[in-house]
Amino acid sequence: MTGFEPSPTSLADAAMSQKTQSFIAQGKTHLVLWGLAEEYIDQARSLCFVATTQPNAQVDWRKRHHDLIFCAIKCLVASISTASHAMTQLDKAKAGLRLAQILFEETENLQRAEEEINKAITIVDAIQGSSALDIQLRLYELRIQIYIETKRFRLAKNALRIATTEAAKHELYWWRYQFCFLKARVHFLMSDIAGSLSALNQGATLADERGDFDLKLAFWIVAGQYSLMLSNWDQAMRYLQKLIPHMGLDEKLALSSGAPSSASSSLSVSAKESGSSTSTTGHLQLCQSKQLRVFFLILYITCTLRSGSVAQSLAALSTLHAALDETRPKDAYELQGIFRIPLKARPNQGDHNRGSLYYETWPHISIKWMSFSQVYCLTYLLSGICNKADMTQPTKAEQFLVEGIKAVDREFSVNDYETSTIHVRRNQRWFSLLMMTMLLHLTDVFLIKYNLVAAEDTILKATYWSKVCGTWEAAKWRISLSIGMLMQLSGRLEEALEWYNICNCHSEENHRDPEGYEAKTLAIINMALIHCGDRLQDLEKVSKLQLEARARHATCPSTNVLCALHILDSRVKEGLIPVRQHLQEALRLSSALMNTQMRSLTLLLLGDSYMHPHDEQAEKMLMAGYVHAVKTSNQIVAAAAGSCLKELYLATSQGIKASQQAQKNTPILETIDQAFQTRLMGPLLHE
């Protein structure tokens, strides 16, 4: 037998038990077909689980998966079409719901899925009593998901209004929770943050009233996520600040604290957290869901990185690593990122008559977030970013990013672009954007270490990847910024200006993205610094760029940008006092940011400002900058600081020190000369 053909002996024989034969004799063939469909679906999903966890264990698994799903659909269609007195209208509605679910989740035929939903809703609307109520709400839920997928948000809001009213009328609080999440998602996709937060707050209030504490925290976490994704950072921080104590984390790390805490700070988790849902620290109730804690920590790290609190990010990162070690997926659902939050409240006595499907959800709510592999890959990225600024351990950030890139690449060996499943396509786009981000952050690491050849190679990989995966339009501003920095470091200043201009044009298209907005501001500052130099000096242009950068920083404040602005101001200010004031502020900010690159540069510039009038102070500053730059592999600053020290020693008649410094400078200068002679970025990239 070639290819894969579902064998009647492998599946049907297993199903043809005595009970099955009894069903057929009673005219209940539809139940046999339904059971066979579920067998096909289970095998298809088991195949995905094995292919994901053991990529080389299954050959040609995609075709086999496709065939199994197709057979399941055929069985469900036959089940609905079966003419049998034993098949009730409710059975037909259930089969229609299941068929629509499979069509929605496993195929691209959303129109057919919607048709099946409409047929099933017509059936359940005609059924008297509450026996079909749960099926009816499930159908509305799936209809809303299809409306969301097809971006028909007005229809989604109308359907939500009907479904929510029905759930409230029958006091089905678990469905009210579900519809609050869906309503928030619809408003979020419409960029309506107020409507989204209103729905989530309603859900949190209901959960609080019913004693479902972890679910209340889940509503708050999603509110923080949506606020963050819509660039409402202050709002996101307020929600995260409310969550910190309930996560069992040290309250001194609250986001409202001004300066970043020391590097030795930790996010210590209370030992009481492993108890029941009423566990407390004092009178404080703690979150019991490990998945929710991971969810929270990822958002927390993202926010603290944005605010420049790198020490807090690093402290949270160590806790995230430990939490992931404790949060292993127990089944295929958890592997896909579906985790369950138990509900404390119990159903009403009359709920026992609402059909068996109700007990599939009680007593928990299922929440779909990122898959387990997505969380792991994202943690690699966050680990690389957290360690990128502090280059006292130069290989640490590089190792995290390289391992993350390997992990993402493995995901693409499992989920390729030939698969039509909706969630697989979403994963593909998500992983392709993550790969782009990892490659460009790795480029930054190489640029900081002045490894220009490796930086160029990584930029070309990012460019190729963006073209293959169709993400070029979203990534070209960031790639242009990296090329501009590469050109600037290699001394090709005219080309650097060209690439910075390209970055500015494209990032402006994504002005709502704070990273893109900040990137353009940094590109403007870099352009101004180029025009401060002797080769392309243009003080009028510097003044114009400086004002533009200041205005942009006022619109979207960033500690990184503020530090860079102080360095720029020190280059254009007249008089030693204001120059040193700006540099001292830059030194303070770079230390708070744990940004070793900016710290080394600031020490170099401070030392230069103290040359001759205060030679002793100049030597201290220059030596600190030199040692710091060497330790962090910052070749450019090390070369500049070393050259300044040599000149200082010669000017103060310290010949021995000058000779010793010259010997130290030689290998660094040779590395830079070699990089300058390398012709980076040929015509391939320009094409």
Side-chain angles (χ1 to χ4, degrees), residues 233-269:
W233 296 92
D234 292 339
Q235 186 72 59
M237 287 184 174
R238 282 194 287 273
Y239 276 105
L240 292 176
Q241 186 178 358
K242 288 199 298 185
L243 284 159
I244 288 175
H246 300 296
M247 291 296 162
L249 307 176
D250 192 346
E251 291 186 42
K252 69 182 178 181
L253 290 175
L255 289 171
S256 59
S257 61
S261 54
S262 65
S264 61
S265 298
S266 63
L267 289 173
S268 57
V269 180

Side-chain angles (χ1 to χ4, degrees), residues 88 292 387 491 617 675:
T88 66
L292 279 180
N387 288 278
Q617 184 69 15

